[in-house]
Amino acid sequence: MMVMNMELPLGAAAALRLPLPNCRPADMMSTKAFTLVSAVERELLVGDKEQGHIECVECCGKNLYVGTSDCIVYHFLLEERAQPAGTATFSATKQLHRHLGFRKPVSELRAASALNRLLVLCDNSITLVNMMSLEPVPSGARIKGAVALALNENPVSGDPFCVEVCIISVKRRTIQVFLVYEDRVQIVREVSTPEQPLAVAVDGHFLCLALTTQYIILNYNTGVAQDLFPYCSDEKRPIVKRIGRQEFLLAGPGGLGMFATVAGISQRAPVHWSENVIGAAICFPYVIALDNEFITVHSMLDQQQKQTLPFKEGHILQDFEGRVIVATSKGVYILVPLPLEKQIQDLLASRRVEEALVLAKGARRNIPKEKFQVMYRRILQQAGFIQFAQLQFLEAKELFRSGQLDVRELISLYPFLLPTSSSFTRSHPPLHEYADLNQLTQGDQEKMAKCKRFLMSYLNEVRSTEVANGYKEDIDTALLKLYAEADHDSLLDLLVTENSCLLTDSAAWLEKHKKYFALGLLYHYNNQDAAAVQLWVNIVNGDIHDSTRSDLYEYVVDFLTYSLDQELVWKYADWVLQKSEEVGVQVFTRRPLDEQQNSFNPDSIITCLKKYPKALVKYLEHLVIDRRLQKEEYHTHLALLYLDEVLQQRPGANSKGAEATETQAKLRHLLQKSDLYRVHFLIDRVRGADLPMESAILHGKLEEHEEALRILVHELQDFSAAEDYCLWRSEGRDPPYRQRLFHTLLAMYLQPGPSVPELAVAATDLLNHHAAEFDAAHVLQLLPGTWSVQLLRPFLTGAVRDSVHARRTTQVALGLAKSENLIYKYDKMKLKGSSVRLSDKKLCQMCQNPFREPVFVRYPNGGLVHTHCAAGRHTNPSPPGPGART
């Protein structure tokens, strides 16, 4: 025997024996999903008689039919009255009753409203009667030999004027399919089964059968059978019930209600009901089961038992188009479902969030789409607040997001976070029961801190999403307040990026929590830079305390540097310079170049900086060196400042040698590289100041090379500086100029006078190191005859090498020139050796006119043109060949 193939985590065998692991005792899962109300009392059925009792019921709209054991069919009209609590009561009005003329009980009733017919199974015969009069059809049409019947609610015939009926025949192991019309019946199929069928349900071509030992699915059109799972018919009553398109509910072993599709698989987990169940019904999303003592309600969504109703002596449980009817032998009752929304609210009130959400999702099929979406969003929001109150923040966040919560509902729980100008009012009816966070946490500071940290995180996530649309001001202002109160690092990040913080509320809150630097950022974001800078200046001056930034002074300088407000910059220029000239001057030196050119006049800045000499030097260096402004005034002014500083430092040179050397190096570099300062003016200032190197540079600028070299050689005796001077002054000049400079220096080393050994050594080094810069023949005339050749070997070797190289280079150039001349002569002879025939029929290849006189121009490719045509255009009439024009 095959076991049904189940699409479930549990294997089929385990599922048959064990309750589901997520099932809990019924008393812990109590949910009021249904109320039991009376519909038909015994007095309406049998009056004072004792012998008759209810055998079957059928309900179609407001029409209720009851079949009894004494072969009577009763027709009642049901009236439903809604109750304020969402439930309903029913009253039944008897219309008529009719005895069918048999002595057997009425076994089953089935209404075919499309035909206005009631199918009555009694004494193995199905009779067609009128639904209103209960009169048998005049034709007397009936189906004989029926043990049980089932209507096909998914018919395959396509004929709207008939219904399809499947019966268990009195013939052994036989199922028959009929088409029932208003006044006739027609058999369409007879199907044999492996065992005797005990119960049947039908959907399309598929029969779900309870046989003697097993359940099967049988396609009566193809004859293909699919075994589901075994059961013992001797131990329990089989249940086979169609619950939807191509899906059935079966009473399985081990007290399980099993779901099966026509494909032989289960797409739902089974429900765990009583071992002694005798009837089942469906009222989505619930499965209702009946046993000898109770009615139990089970969820199809989470397979948990939701409700238990005591109900003794019940033997009938059926559902009719969403209405669930249960009956004893003496009365008929209706299970009235509470509105799903009320059930969900009850679950939420009991903090059973998961069950509420499962039920809400399952309600989708019974509620219009738009109404469901509104309801479901609200349920998600309520569930979110329940999880929030239990500090389940991750779950709460997902519920808030899924429910598209107006985040102000959450913010409003926190006192004073919403701006005073906010027009927000809480949802009505409310989404939760809490007045504020204090009530929710009952004053527990640790819980309150956790809630605030959650709100910070949540607001930061949603502020840039669609959730914030329309109330970004409320969100950002609340976030700022939370950050400020918690001394959170993200406060500054919020204020330096795009935000919608309301100035009035936010400023007061920041001031309350002494966040003055952040308050300055808020002012700046709202285009109140003057207020921001003044606040920061007060912090730097110590008037107010805020330790947010230890480098606030540098921050203010940087802020003013990039500020476009000239008035603000000038207002605080003196303040930043007084604090630090070197740092403060950056307000002017680090400004964007286009702004320096258009907005801030250097002359005005220089005037301002006269009181701050260090800053003035920095600014002039910026103009001269960084921006390379070609203005004599700036270059001269900077040189004078350098010079003044050098002169001031000279008396204490021993103690400040390093600083003096740095300033002198800057002065010398400026004097060498700049051509814009006033040389004569600086020479006058340097004269008598004991600054020989600077004097030498200035004389060099005036082309007074002998004086400059004299200072370097005789006053400073700095022979290396003298060589550098020659290289510096000859840079970019022609070779003769460079040679004259070096010859001048050599002559100064060799000039007549007392013998100085250092000068002889310097002359030798000069010749040996710069041999290429000298005219060797002229040098040899100047050198003393006592100098040895060995002493000048490097110089002489270089001179000879250069002379030989020059001679050979000249010879090569001469040879190339001769070769080129010979080639030209050869080409000329070739051209002269060929004749040209010219007649009045010959045409110029440029203008296409004939030649009128024997004067023409011939191209190497043989083309002839007029002389004036050739003079007017310098291109060949056709691609030119090698050689020049003749």
Side-chain angles (χ1 to χ4, degrees), residues 831 857-860 865 867 870-871 873-874 876 883-886:
L831 292 173
V857 173
R858 180 181 181 273
Y859 286 98
V865 298
T867 53
R873 297 183 65 184
H874 299 287
N876 267 347
R885 189 184 70 178
T886 302

Side-chain angles (χ1 to χ4, degrees), residues 309-330:
L309 296 168
F311 192 78
K312 294 186 177 182
E313 300 181 1
H315 69 106
I316 297 173
L317 175 63
Q318 287 182 268
D319 59 85
F320 306 95
E321 299 174 352
R323 180 173 293 166
V324 180
I325 294 180
V326 62
T328 65
S329 61
K330 299 177 181 179

Side-chain angles (χ1 to χ4, degrees), residues 407-546:
V407 73
R408 294 175 298 178
E409 288 278 2
L410 183 59
I411 298 172
S412 69
L413 275 174
Y414 297 72
F416 309 115
L417 286 195
L418 279 175
T420 53
S421 59
S422 176
S423 60
F424 171 75
T425 55
R426 288 186 180 178
S427 174
H428 185 78
L431 296 173
H432 53 81
E433 59 188 11
Y434 306 105
D436 57 25
L437 197 62
N438 293 316
Q439 180 191 351
L440 186 146
T441 61
Q442 297 181 350
D444 187 319
Q445 294 300 313
E446 184 179 352
K447 290 183 179 179
M448 194 173 296
K450 289 180 179 179
C451 291
K452 289 180 178 180
R453 286 196 295 271
F454 164 70
L455 184 61
M456 276 191 277
S457 171
Y458 184 62
L459 293 182
N460 186 54
E461 288 182 22
V462 304
R463 62 186 295 263
S464 58
T465 65
E466 293 181 359
V467 174
N469 287 348
Y471 32 87
K472 289 185 178 180
E473 292 179 347
D474 293 352
I475 292 176
D476 283 359
T477 303
L479 192 56
L480 176 141
K481 291 180 178 180
L482 287 168
Y483 284 157
E485 186 179 20
D487 194 21
H488 201 283
D489 294 341
S490 297
L491 173 63
L492 304 185
D493 296 331
L494 173 66
L495 290 170
V496 298
T497 55
E498 183 180 353
N499 66 80
S500 302
C501 299
L502 289 174
L503 178 60
T504 305
D505 274 64
S506 301
W509 193 271
L510 291 173
E511 192 165 356
K512 172 185 174 182
H513 291 277
K514 302 186 185 306
K515 298 295 179 183
Y516 299 111
F517 175 72
L519 179 56
L521 294 177
L522 178 68
Y523 284 142
H524 168 57
Y525 190 82
N526 287 274
N527 300 316
Q528 297 185 18
D529 287 355
V533 175
Q534 184 59 57
L535 198 59
W536 295 331
V537 167
N538 291 341
I539 298 173
V540 176
N541 290 340
D543 300 333
I544 53 179
H545 178 71
D546 185 343

Side-chain angles (χ1 to χ4, degrees), residues 191-315:
V191 183
S192 296
T193 60
E195 299 174 2
Q196 179 61 33
L198 304 178
V200 63
V202 60
D203 184 281
H205 287 114
F206 294 94
L207 304 175
C208 185
L209 298 169
L211 304 180
T212 307
T213 62
Q214 65 174 335
Y215 290 99
I216 68 168
I217 296 288
L218 176 63
N219 186 326
Y220 71 78
N221 188 47
T222 63
V224 175
Q226 169 72 54
D227 294 346
L228 298 180
F229 54 84
Y231 84 104
C232 182
S233 61
D234 295 333
E235 296 179 1
K236 64 185 303 180
R237 176 179 174 182
I239 295 176
V240 179
K241 179 172 182 60
R242 180 184 182 272
I243 64 170
R245 185 176 180 85
Q246 297 188 345
E247 188 173 13
F248 304 94
L249 173 64
L250 314 172
L256 292 180
M258 310 287 285
F259 299 93
T261 67
V262 296
I265 61 175
S266 179
Q267 296 176 332
R268 307 176 196 266
V271 295
H272 191 269
W273 56 29
S274 168
E275 291 275 2
N276 303 313
V277 65
I278 57 177
I282 297 291
C283 183
F284 192 85
Y286 298 112
V287 173
I288 304 157
L290 174 68
D291 62 20
N292 296 325
E293 296 184 345
F294 298 100
I295 298 171
T296 54
V297 179
H298 309 263
S299 173
M300 296 170 65
L301 305 174
D302 59 12
Q303 294 74 52
Q304 295 178 358
Q305 184 173 321
K306 300 297 184 181
Q307 187 178 8
T308 301
L309 296 168
F311 192 78
K312 294 186 177 182
E313 300 181 1
H315 69 106

